[in-house]
Amino acid sequence: MSGISWTPDTVSSIFAPVSTPAAKEADLANFVLVLSGVVFIVVAGLIAYSVMRFRAPAEEQGSEPPQVYGSAQVEAAWTAIPLIIVIVLMLATGRVIYEIQAAPQPPTAVEVTVVGRQWWWEIRYPKLGVVTANELHVPVSDSLTRRPTFLTLESADVVHSFWVPRVAGKTDLIPNRTNRMWVEPHEPGTYLGQCAEYCGTQHAFMLLRIVAEPPEQFARWVEQQRQTAAPAPADPAAAAGRRVFLGTVCASCHAVAGTVANGRYGPDLTHLMSRATIGAGVAANTRERLRAWVRNPDGLKRGVLMPAMQIDDEYLDQLVAYLVTLR
Ligand code: CUA
């Protein structure tokens, strides 16, 4: 085990919560597991004891054992005790569900709208004027100030489910319906999650990450994300790529703030290079992978809705030179 580094980026267990709702849920899960464990040990122990203790001696084997009707007291006990256990579990679960679902939104909360799409996450901060994809940045709370993030969950096509196990339980994104949930991380870090409801061919690559940052760092990120793209890249190849981008169908599906490109069908690319991955986690966001992606998206993510544009190599290089300026 010593070779594996369990940084926050690789753990995605509900038993390692870093956020208020996840912590409440982990406590409940532990309570249910302990209670179930005790029931298992008692029942399995009684069975094992009975099997051994009441085994027929060798000379009696083959004949019928004495037939006993039973015991009213024992039957009452095995009805009442499980009933009490079930009621305790029900009350404990109901309390946690209520505490999470009925939690009021404090004035310091960040508001985010998440739209599930085949197969990526559109992320909008309506009050902050920020649009991004697949990487949800949130501030962390500390002992003095609560800074939870309240999410409005919608779907543009089919049912998806938002799940970052260390941060909160899963909530579905359902067409024509608005769901809500909230997260409140206390430790800065990058937490991995993914779509948890089968939504088509690339469901497995509808990955998601929450980047929890100290408030000053979150404010800097917001400031940077609010900026529009530079009007004219200095690099001639990038400037040519910008013309390719705006002159082809790229601009009808993707938006780049500060240009005429305002498509919403694909991810907003204004700050493309500030994201760690492309294709909702299918590849690292490097210049080389970006080129492979634009040349033939289906080669990296089979079934993806972005078509291969059949751009020749010269234009492709220019286009990629432009895309890497979108920071
Ligand atoms: Cu979206 Cu599975």
Side-chain angles (χ1 to χ4, degrees), residues 235-277:
D235 172 22
R242 184 176 188 272
R243 285 191 295 276
V244 174
F245 184 86
L246 297 176
T248 62
V249 291
C250 302
S252 54
C253 286
H254 293 284
V256 174
T259 73
V260 295
N262 64 355
R264 268 189 72 179
Y265 195 62
D268 187 298
L269 300 180
T270 314
H271 300 284
L272 169 66
M273 299 314 288
S274 72
R275 302 197 284 264
T277 72

Side-chain angles (χ1 to χ4, degrees), residues 159-274:
V159 180
H160 304 273
S161 192
F162 185 101
W163 193 28
V164 181
R166 299 189 71 189
V167 175
K170 63 182 90 152
T171 307
D172 283 0
L173 299 85
I174 299 170
N176 300 315
R177 189 191 149 88
T178 299
N179 278 345
R180 287 176 209 287
M181 65 180 282
W182 56 283
V183 302
E184 188 179 10
H186 297 270
E187 290 173 34
T190 300
Y191 306 113
L192 299 181
Q194 66 187 89
C195 180
E197 178 67 50
Y198 181 73
C199 55
T201 313
Q202 286 296 344
H203 157 69
F205 269 114
M206 188 163 165
L207 304 182
L208 158 75
R209 49 183 73 196
I210 291 183
V211 182
E213 297 167 316
E216 319 77 55
Q217 200 178 325
F218 175 72
R220 277 200 299 278
W221 177 81
V222 168
E223 208 38 59
Q224 183 255 335
Q225 295 285 313
R226 286 163 64 99
Q227 286 163 21
T228 56
D235 172 22
R242 184 176 188 272
R243 285 191 295 276
V244 174
F245 184 86
L246 297 176
T248 62
V249 291
C250 302
S252 54
C253 286
H254 293 284
V256 174
T259 73
V260 295
N262 64 355
R264 268 189 72 179
Y265 195 62
D268 187 298
L269 300 180
T270 314
H271 300 284
L272 169 66
M273 299 314 288
S274 72

Side-chain angles (χ1 to χ4, degrees), residues 14-15 17 20-34 92 95-96 99:
I14 65 161
F15 296 109
T20 307
K24 288 177 190 286
E25 287 155 3
D27 287 347
L28 177 65
N30 282 321
F31 175 68
V32 172
L33 271 178
V34 167
R95 195 184 71 171
V96 171
E99 279 178 0

